[in-house]
Amino acid sequence: MSNNSIISIRSLEKTFPSNDGLVRAVNKIDLEIARNEFVVLLGPSGCGKTTTLRCVAGLERPDGGSIEINGEVVNSVTSRTFVPPERRDIGMVFQSYAVWPHLNVFQNVALPLTDGRQKLPKGQVKDRVMECLRLVRLEGLETRPVTDLSGGQQQRVALARAIVTQPMVLLMDEPLSNLDARLREEMRLELKNIATTAGVTSLYVTHDQSEALSLGDKICVMNEGEILQAGSPQEVYARPPNHFVAEFVGEMNFIKGKVTGPGQVDSPLGERSYDLPPNCQVGSTVTLAIRPQYLGLAKDPDQNSQSPEGLIVSKSYLGDAVLYEVELSGVTLTVKLSGDSNFAIGQRASVNLPPEPWHIFP
Ligand code: ADP
Ligand code: MG
């Protein structure tokens, strides 16, 4: 089957034996990744991200489905095709830096060119290694033992080594997770630039939603071996298709309610109208969801106001915004007000509920 994807994953399945029977680590995943696209697999621990990545790398043998890399079938369970990792056009970076401690920076990066399958004529090795070291901003450190480098620098060595063979595909499994928070954010932007400059197609695994939102051209939100949503960061943030994605990506308030009529829901927020999905029957229960920044607070509720009143139970100052927790009719709402605001804990306030954007989940 021909298409323009660099990575094509179809009905991928992988199960592992465990004490309580088989674990479906990957449960019929489909994914197409275009040339130079940066795709992130995002999900909680144990949802199958690493297993998916390892199948693409050839480090796991799938139980079902197929994988193509740049038009070549590297894996097909039905036709019993399996191309081993060293013959796949990939580079890999892992959470642990996995650099050779007895080699210096240059030697570590040069290794795939001097000892690997893709040996380069001796005269070209130096240029290629130096080009990669410049790209990851380690020029000048070539002769340093890698063990003298910081964690961030060691991960740059690993990254340079992964791209030195100019692979078609770069696979990364939580590569920033061992770095401290500040460095992690810096490296995010840089990593994206490096991947773009190197012209690789990237598949990146993380459990960190803010990392996924800032890095991904496309994010695949996974749970229990399945992709629940694949879309741009904006789509995933603005249009979560279900409760799991809504809860996993960004902050969200959830309020249970009951459909009382066409477009009407009764909940602790009162009986109000919403833009309900077509399949909501009168009498059924639904979950209303809204992000904290879309709620507002007012001190002196006007008597005719439809806004429910609540009690402010917590307040945390974020610098550019303040996060309040407001209790009303047995639910706690998180409200995020940008800029300065001076509501106090213990104070009553009315919660302004906007007409949108609400998410309604059956
Ligand atoms: P993630 O990377 O999203 O945290 P993994 O892909 O590592 O998740 O794991 C998915 C599921 O498969 C988990 O339940 C995990 O325990 C199980 N699993 C992964 N690798 C193995 C293995 N080699 N043997 C048995 N179970 C495994
Ligand atoms: Mg993992």
Side-chain angles (χ1 to χ4, degrees), residues 27-211:
N27 193 5
K28 293 208 163 68
I29 278 184
D30 292 297
L31 178 59
E32 300 290 325
I33 306 180
R35 183 181 298 274
N36 293 346
E37 204 175 16
F38 198 114
V39 173
V40 177
L41 301 180
L42 169 68
S45 175
C47 73
K49 307 179 295 293
T50 294
T51 306
T52 304
L53 199 77
R54 286 172 57 83
C55 287
V56 176
L59 299 169
E60 298 286 356
R61 285 181 181 250
D63 301 309
S66 67
I67 300 171
E68 285 177 29
I69 297 178
N70 198 21
E72 183 195 6
V73 178
V74 292
N75 223 124
S76 163
V77 172
T78 47
S79 74
R80 302 195 183 182
T81 308
F82 180 80
V83 176
E86 65 279 7
R87 294 209 290 105
R88 298 188 183 193
D89 198 0
I90 54 169
M92 278 197 89
V93 182
F94 303 95
Q95 180 173 350
S96 61
Y97 311 131
V99 288
W100 297 103
H102 60 290
L103 300 179
N104 69 24
V105 169
F106 184 95
Q107 292 162 332
N108 260 284
V109 177
L111 204 64
L113 302 177
T114 53
D115 286 47
R117 191 180 66 91
Q118 311 206 22
K119 275 193 192 151
L120 211 62
K122 252 222 167 86
Q124 293 174 29
V125 171
K126 183 159 187 216
D127 283 351
R128 180 74 74 76
V129 171
M130 294 309 290
E131 185 192 326
C132 285
L133 288 179
R134 255 192 311 279
L135 192 56
V136 302
R137 299 201 294 127
L138 286 178
E139 69 265 57
L141 298 180
E142 310 70 272
T143 57
R144 286 280 185 91
V146 275
T147 44
D148 283 5
L149 302 181
S150 70
Q153 289 172 321
Q154 289 191 34
Q155 197 57 307
R156 285 165 202 268
V157 172
L159 185 59
R161 192 185 48 195
I163 59 178
V164 78
T165 57
Q166 303 183 331
M168 186 63 84
V169 168
L170 182 58
L171 304 175
M172 291 168 274
D173 194 350
E174 315 238 7
L176 304 182
S177 297
N178 282 357
L179 306 178
D180 61 59
R182 191 64 180 258
L183 187 59
R184 199 151 63 212
E185 284 188 25
E186 267 175 45
M187 279 285 285
R188 250 184 225 169
L189 294 170
E190 223 180 302
L191 195 67
K192 183 75 181 265
N193 286 335
I194 292 168
T196 308
T197 310
V200 289
T201 300
S202 303
L203 183 56
Y204 186 101
V205 161
T206 183
H207 65 275
D208 180 334
Q209 46 113 0
S210 61
E211 203 169 289

Side-chain angles (χ1 to χ4, degrees), residues 265-283:
V265 176
D266 189 28
S267 79
L269 307 177
E271 185 155 347
R272 308 175 62 86
S273 49
Y274 301 88
D275 194 4
L276 293 184
N279 53 349
C280 285
Q281 305 282 348
V282 172

